[in-house]
Amino acid sequence: MKAVNHFRCCLMALLLLLAGFGEARAQCRDTPPAGCPTAFEVFDAGTGEPLQSLCVGQRIRVTITCPERSAVDRNALYYQFLAADLATAPCTGYTSRTNTFTVTQAGKLTIAENAQNPSNPGTGTIFLRVFDVAAVPKPAFQVEACAPGSIRVTISDQAYDTYTLRINTGPLLRVNKGAGARNYPIPGGATTGQVVVKGRYNTGQCVGADSIKFTTLPLPSTPVVRRLVLSGTTAQLQFEPAPTGYQYVLEQADATSPSGYRIVPQAVLTTTGASVGGVSAPACYRLRIQDVCTTAGLPASTPVCSVLLSGTSDSGQNTLTWTTDANAASFVLKRDGQLLTTLPANSRSYPDAAVTCGVRYCYQLETTTGSGTTSTTVVSNETCLTTTSSSTLPVPQLVASFTPTNQVLLTATVPGLPAGGRVRYLRTVGQGAPTEFALTARRTLRDSTLALNPEAAPCYQAQFVDDCGNRSALSAPFCPVVLSARAADLLGNTVQLNWTELRGPDPAASVQYAVQVVDASGAVLAQPLSGATASGSFLDLTPPADRQLLRYRIAATSPSLSQPSYSNVATVSREMKAMLPTAFTPNGDGLNDVLEVKGRFLSTFTFTIVDRNGQQVFRGTDRTQVWDGRVGATVPVPGAYVWRFEAVDETGKRVVQHGTITILR
């Protein structure tokens, strides 16, 4: 058969040359019969699945399945498997009748078939197919052991389009390409096993696989903080090294965190200790153990709390105070490194009177929490004091602000002393001398004795007096804004405002002023009219049109004030006035058919009309009530009538107006 086929190919080449087609090249490839998309099919030798592309390492089988080729003698089939992309089939070399083949390299594979021609047994046919061959390297991945119950798998491979993962006999899990490290539970809670990762291409059926065995970490013991020392503003902790495969995380108590603790970002951890800088208040810490899976439920140490020690010296005595959340059995107070005294657990202060003025002493507090192998020693910061015979009293800070009723509300704050002692309040008016008008333990006080005079604005000062009668220096003067207001035209349609400047606790701080329109209770109706301004005057061109009595105040703000300081409320009263025509024509023509009261700032009033006989023919109490000239059902009677308007305005003033009105035909 091979000799016949070779003769056929060579004969075809000779004919082509004689026909003048140029250089002779053997064209041994045949066209499959009609009805056969391909002359033969390729199947996976193990699964029997038809293949359109191949994989390195795959065992394949070549079979004729097309009915049009059913007459081919299966015993006269020869194959060649060539690792190349051939457009022309080889004419020779068909020595193997084996139709199975194991793919060994990626790229292209040409499969050529040499068969007997059923229609002309003296000749043969050669068919070929070219297949893409994909490489199937083992996918690269890593497995990290965690506490019993979970492992961490990182698929770093990028060769395949999709990946699957199976742990022991657990479910097959799909993993997106580039997903990185992920934590996985171990099915059945096993502590050993293997992870199988397979990679697949989106096209074709090629799969690369690899496996890694694992053993989970043993359960760790509960960590213990052995020592906590507060050194200046740095908390230093000591503990045992973490078990192999685990690491520590330092956490601080935080009521806003869902777990009650948050990781301390500024903590510096070593294998046997940690330090936290910038500590300005007592804090509670715990040491939590974790693995690379950060498995929940791993043990954490018993919380340990720092002790913050501070002290003051006054009148020949040093007073030590401390704050802590430590669950201590007792405290040991040391002075200059020597035991001074032992104090009960609920103690938070100690007066040391056995001291000498002018001598410097250093104190430190120690306590032990827990017991036995889980005990922790807690050492406070060191605080040093030079004993003094008396202290310099803190200077109060004073703020003054007018109330809506034009009383001055004074608020004194004594730094470091929210209670105790007394405050001496002084007032200066104009160019006068400061005058004491109150000495009280109250930190807030109303000055109801002030006679407000815009020409002589008041200023206030405060002085702290301790229980021994010692006095502090006077506070900086605080002069609230004093406002005056007047109508800038006869009708009060514009208002001129002028005010004094605010002098606050910080004379160098800038002050901004905002004009407010308020009601009788001090509620703001328009804010601000002028915006923030540094000037002391403002012309209101658009006061509220519906208010007879205008109330203004100034809100002064400054970086040195936590809230605005308000001026007094200055008022401008405008005249209430009714306006009526001298005649109207109630004849039904739609023009001037009724008499209605118009005017400024009218709310409730009494409006009456009497005829020439002195009989009342109409009475109204608001602007919705109008007179159409009728008296009962009687048609309007032309003539002159007398009207009277009476009201009480917003200031309490009685307003009376009267005049005549004529009914015309």
Side-chain angles (χ1 to χ4, degrees), residues 359-421:
V359 178
R360 188 173 185 265
Y361 301 90
C362 293
Y363 299 86
Q364 204 162 25
L365 201 65
E366 291 185 9
T367 185
T368 300
T369 63
S371 61
T373 59
T374 62
S375 65
T376 303
T377 300
V378 179
V379 182
S380 77
N381 59 301
E382 184 182 68
T383 185
C384 297
L385 303 170
T386 299
T387 305
T388 59
S389 58
S390 61
S391 62
T392 301
L393 297 180
V395 179
Q397 296 176 354
L398 185 66
V399 174
S401 181
F402 281 89
T403 69
T405 57
N406 285 349
Q407 293 181 339
V408 179
L409 179 64
L410 302 171
T411 302
T413 303
V414 183
L417 297 173

Side-chain angles (χ1 to χ4, degrees), residues 18 25 81 213 227 268 315 429:
L18 294 175
R25 285 188 289 181
F81 300 88
K213 294 183 178 180
R227 188 175 179 85
V268 179
S315 301
V429 179

Side-chain angles (χ1 to χ4, degrees), residues 79-214:
Y79 295 94
Q80 290 191 62
F81 300 88
L82 305 168
D85 183 0
L86 300 181
T88 302
C91 298
T92 61
Y94 294 88
T95 61
S96 173
R97 293 180 57 195
T98 302
N99 68 335
T100 60
F101 178 74
T102 299
V103 183
T104 60
Q105 68 184 62
K108 299 287 186 177
L109 178 68
T110 299
I111 303 176
E113 177 202 79
N114 188 340
Q116 185 184 55
N117 189 345
S119 61
N120 186 2
T123 64
T125 60
I126 293 181
F127 301 102
L128 64 83
R129 292 183 64 184
V130 180
F131 290 83
D132 290 319
V133 180
V136 285
K138 292 181 178 181
F141 69 99
Q142 298 81 40
V143 177
E144 296 173 273
C146 297
S150 62
I151 56 176
R152 185 177 179 88
V153 180
T154 304
I155 300 178
S156 56
D157 196 270
Q158 297 289 321
Y160 296 96
D161 297 312
T162 61
Y163 296 87
T164 59
L165 176 148
R166 190 190 300 273
I167 303 173
N168 293 344
T169 58
L172 189 66
L173 306 174
R174 179 173 179 141
V175 181
N176 292 332
K177 183 176 182 178
R182 292 181 59 184
N183 301 332
Y184 295 91
I186 303 174
T191 58
T192 61
Q194 72 172 1
V195 178
V196 177
V197 172
K198 294 183 178 181
R200 298 177 183 271
Y201 299 109
N202 288 337
T203 59
Q205 301 155 316
C206 300
V207 177
D210 199 7
S211 64
I212 297 177
K213 294 183 178 180
F214 66 84

Side-chain angles (χ1 to χ4, degrees), residues 6 47 200 239 314 319 337 362 448 466-467 479 486 572 650 659 663:
H6 178 69
T47 65
R200 298 177 183 271
F239 41 78
D314 188 22
T319 300
C362 293
S448 57
D466 69 11
D467 294 333
C479 308
R486 62 178 178 81
V572 172
E650 193 175 345
I663 295 179

